[in-house]
Amino acid sequence: MYHPQLKTVVDTVTFHAGRIPDSVAIECEGREVTFAALHSGSNQTAQALVAAGVAPGDRVGFLGRESERYYEIFFACAKAGAVLVPINWRLASGEVEHILRDSAAVLVFAEREFLATVHAAADGTADGGADDGVTSGTTSRVVVDLDGDGAPGEAFARWKAAYPDEDPSGQVSPEDPIVQLYTSGTTGLPKGVVLPHRSFFRINDLLVEHGRDWIDWQPGDKSLIGIPGFHVAGIWWAMQAMNAGVPSVSMRSFVSTEAARLIRERGITTTLVVPAMLQMILAEPRTGPDDFASLRKVAYGGSPISESLLRQCIEVMGCEFAQLYGLTETGNCVVCLPPADHVPGSPLLRAAGLPLPGVQLRIIDSEGADLPAGTVGEVCVRTPAIMIEYWGLKAATDEVLRDGWFRTGDAGHLNDDGYLFISDRIKDVIIVAGENVYPAEVENALCRHPAVAEAAVIGVPDEKWGESVRAFVVLRPDTQATPRELMLSLRGQIADFKIPARYDIVDSIPRNPSGKILRRVLRDEFWAHADRNVN
C-alpha cells in the first residue's frame, strides 16, 4: 500500500488510474468514482480551467460541502498548475469576501446553496446564474455553479463536458504550491497558508522508511472522511488514503447518525476525527460493538482524548487509537501518540506524543534559547511538510518561520523520553471542536454593536466541545444590551462556531499598562481546576 514513486498530487491520480483504474477512489451519497474516472474528470476540468483563463499560480476558490467534485477539482487544479483555495462554508459572507479578495481568486466553484454568499462577497458580481452555470462580474472573477437546478454536480458536468480528456500538466515539482488554506490570526483577519505538494507525501514516506505503523494503510482498508477538506486535517487525510490507493467514503458534512451508519454499512476500517465526533457517535442510541466491527484504527486530533472517553471507545469500538498533533502551517501532523500508548490510566495520555520521523522539536524561552527536558517554553517544529508562506505576508511568515523552524505559539515541554506535552497556548487561539477561533476577530465583531465600548473573549473548558467561547463586554454609558441582543448582532458577521456561548456584562476589562487585554486574568477563574490551560 506504499508507493514511494508518488511525489506530487498529479502523480497520485495518474499512477492509480493506470494501476487500478476500476477501483473506487471516492464515494459520496452512494455515487462512486473510480481512479480512472477521477483521472479523466480532472483532465477535463483542468482543460476547462485553462480555457477559462486560469494560469499557473492562479488561485481557484471552492465553496461547498464535501463531495467527489471537491477532489476532482483539487486534482484538476494540480494539473492546471493552479492553487486551490477551499473556503469554510460556515463562514459569513464578509469572511468569505476577505478570503476571495486576499487570495485574488480568478475563478470560484460554488454549490448552489452558497452562490448567494459568493455573489454577496464579490462587489459588482451579478446575482443569479447563467444557463451554463457560469457568471462573471466587474471583478472579472468567474463563478461556476456546481449544481444548477438539477442533480448535484449537473451544472459542473455540463461546464467541463466540451473539453478533452487530456492531462495539460507539464513538469510538476514537489515544491510547487497546491492548496491555500485560511487560518485565523491575532489581528482578526485570516491568513492564507500556502502548502506545497510535498506536504501530502513526505511524512508518510518517512513513517514507512522508519518502520512506524502509527498511521498505516492495509489491503482491504476503507477510509471515512469526516473532517471537511477546507481543514488541513481533512484534505491531508483524504490524500493519504488516495496515495495508498484506498477507497474513501466522503460525508457531505459530519452527522453522527450518518457516520455510525456508514461505518457499519460501508465497512469503514479507519478514519480521522476530533474527540467531540467520537463522543457524538457513541452517544447515538442503539449503537454497540457490532456497529464498529470493521474498524481497525481511529486517528484523532484537535484536542486530547479524555480518559473516560477513551475507555468508552475501547469498550464499544474495540480498535486502535492514534492521536495526531499538528497545525495548518506544518502541513498537518508533526507528533503522534501511538496506539500502544493509549492505555487507560497511563500518564502518557496527557502527552501530545512523539515526533514523527523526519520531524524535530525544540522548546525555547522568550529569547529563543533551548530549554532542557521538563521545562515549559514555546514549542518549535522543523518538518519536511512545512508551509511555503503566509500568502502575501512576508513579515508574518518571517516572524514564525526562522531557519526552517516554525514557532507554533503553543507552550509545552518534552519529557526525558522525548514525548511532547502541551500545557498552554502562547497565542490566544480557542479551539472549539477542532475549529480555531481567535479572540480578536470575535472582539472586533462585538465592538460593532453600538452599545459595546469594549470586549474581551476567552476560551473556557467545555465537556462536549473541548472549549467554548465566552465574552466579557463593557457597555457604553447610558446604553443597554442583553446577551441575546449581542448574540444576534454577531449572526452574519462571523461563523456560528465563533459566536460566544456566554456573555458577561462587566464594568471594566483588565489591561496592562500599555493597554493590552490581560486575557490570562479572565481565564484563570475558569481554568483554576485544570492541570493545564488547554482542553
Side-chain angles (χ1 to χ4, degrees):
M1 306 299 286
Y2 171 56
H3 308 287
Q5 62 270 56
L6 304 183
K7 302 299 179 186
T8 72
V9 170
V10 175
D11 292 343
T12 297
V13 69
T14 304
F15 174 75
H16 289 305
R19 186 181 73 92
I20 47 172
D22 298 326
S23 294
V24 173
I26 189 164
E27 63 176 271
C28 181
E29 297 184 325
R31 300 181 299 274
E32 294 185 342
V33 180
T34 65
F35 278 102
L38 186 59
H39 182 40
S40 176
S42 58
N43 282 345
Q44 286 186 291
T45 304
Q47 292 282 0
L49 287 172
V50 173
V54 176
D58 280 347
R59 268 53 182 172
V60 171
F62 181 96
L63 185 59
R65 300 176 191 269
E66 286 292 289
S67 72
E68 70 278 17
R69 297 183 295 280
Y70 173 71
Y71 294 97
E72 180 177 317
I73 290 166
F74 179 58
F75 285 110
C77 285
K79 292 175 178 180
V83 178
L84 182 64
V85 181
I87 303 169
N88 187 335
W89 51 265
R90 291 189 286 182
L91 297 180
S93 60
E95 296 171 305
V96 173
E97 178 183 10
H98 167 73
I99 292 172
L100 293 178
R101 289 184 180 277
D102 183 75
S103 65
V106 298
L107 184 145
V108 181
F109 293 99
E111 291 183 348
R112 175 52 61 102
E113 67 174 304
F114 303 115
L115 278 177
T117 300
V118 172
H119 288 307
D123 293 342
T125 300
D127 290 332
D131 290 341
D132 62 355
V134 180
T135 61
S136 62
T138 58
T139 59
S140 74
R141 181 184 298 124
V142 177
V143 179
V144 178
D145 177 355
L146 288 172
D147 297 320
D149 295 321
E154 184 179 281
F156 174 56
R158 290 198 308 269
W159 177 76
K160 67 178 183 179
Y163 297 95
D165 176 7
E166 297 174 2
D167 184 350
S169 61
Q171 189 67 32
V172 181
S173 166
E175 296 298 322
D176 291 341
I178 178 57
V179 67
Q180 186 164 311
L181 302 169
Y182 275 79
T183 182
S184 298
T186 52
T187 64
L189 292 176
K191 300 187 289 290
V193 178
V194 182
L195 296 179
H197 289 258
R198 61 173 156 77
S199 293
F200 300 97
F201 298 89
R202 280 303 289 147
I203 292 296
N204 186 63
D205 289 348
L206 291 165
L207 277 167
V208 175
E209 290 171 16
H210 287 77
R212 303 282 173 83
D213 62 356
W214 300 345
I215 308 166
D216 64 335
W217 301 95
Q218 298 180 8
D221 270 345
K222 182 175 285 188
S223 170
L224 178 67
I225 304 174
I227 296 177
F230 55 73
H231 280 304
V232 66
I235 196 167
W236 178 86
W237 181 257
M239 276 302 301
Q240 302 316 294
M242 290 189 190
N243 291 344
V246 165
S248 294
V249 178
S250 177
M251 298 182 67
R252 292 279 286 152
S253 56
F254 180 81
V255 179
S256 54
T257 52
E258 180 68 359
R261 183 188 71 80
L262 289 172
I263 291 170
R264 179 180 65 252
E265 295 182 4
R266 304 304 297 145
I268 299 299
T269 64
T270 186
T271 188
L272 174 64
V273 293
V274 299
M277 291 179 178
L278 290 172
Q279 190 172 35
M280 287 187 283
I281 291 172
L282 292 179
E284 286 297 322
R286 298 181 298 280
T287 57
D290 290 346
D291 296 293
F292 307 107
S294 62
L295 277 178
R296 180 177 67 81
K297 181 176 291 183
V298 172
Y300 67 92
S303 66
I305 196 167
S306 68
E307 186 169 335
S308 61
L309 179 57
L310 176 63
R311 287 182 184 275
Q312 187 181 8
C313 286
I314 291 173
E315 179 181 341
V316 178
M317 293 183 165
C319 64
E320 292 185 334
F321 291 85
Q323 177 179 267
L324 304 178
Y325 164 80
L327 301 92
T328 305
E329 293 91 338
T330 63
N332 202 261
C333 55
V334 291
V335 166
C336 177
L337 188 68
D341 292 326
H342 281 73
V343 178
S346 168
L348 289 177
L349 282 178
R350 310 296 291 174
L354 293 165
L356 291 160
V359 173
Q360 298 171 272
L361 299 178
R362 293 171 60 202
I363 308 297
I364 63 171
D365 63 18
S366 59
E367 303 300 319
D370 288 316
L371 293 170
T375 305
V376 174
E378 183 172 8
V379 180
C380 293
V381 175
R382 188 198 292 271
T383 168
I386 196 69
M387 71 173 181
I388 297 173
E389 62 177 342
Y390 289 128
W391 175 245
L393 297 171
K394 185 179 186 304
T397 304
D398 292 343
E399 182 179 351
V400 298
L401 196 55
R402 305 178 190 178
D403 299 323
W405 288 92
F406 177 72
R407 302 185 67 149
T408 66
D410 285 339
H413 72 275
L414 295 170
N415 72 2
D416 290 333
D417 296 320
Y419 284 83
L420 174 67
F421 291 75
I422 302 295
S423 54
D424 203 350
R425 297 192 188 101
I426 296 169
K427 298 176 183 177
D428 292 317
V429 66
I430 305 161
I431 300 182
V432 181
E435 295 275 12
N436 284 5
V437 179
Y438 272 87
E441 57 186 329
V442 184
E443 291 161 358
N444 290 342
L446 275 169
C447 288
R448 295 188 188 108
H449 191 289
V452 175
E454 56 180 335
V457 168
I458 63 170
V460 299
D462 186 281
E463 185 174 339
K464 182 175 183 180
W465 305 117
E467 296 177 13
S468 62
V469 183
R470 188 161 183 149
F472 296 81
V473 176
V474 177
L475 300 178
R476 298 183 185 279
D478 303 319
T479 64
Q480 290 184 334
T482 66
R484 176 173 171 76
E485 289 168 343
L486 294 173
M487 180 269 291
L488 291 174
S489 76
L490 296 176
R491 292 273 177 87
Q493 283 200 71
I494 56 177
D496 286 350
F497 65 83
K498 301 176 184 178
I499 294 177
R502 293 287 303 273
Y503 301 79
D504 294 273
I505 309 300
V506 296
D507 294 329
S508 63
I509 289 172
R511 295 179 181 270
N512 67 11
S514 63
K516 182 179 179 180
I517 295 173
L518 296 174
R519 293 190 183 89
R520 175 71 58 217
V521 174
L522 296 172
R523 283 167 53 89
D524 282 348
E525 173 188 350
F526 302 96
W527 294 89
H529 67 284
D531 59 359
R532 56 184 174 180
N533 290 320
V534 292
N535 201 40

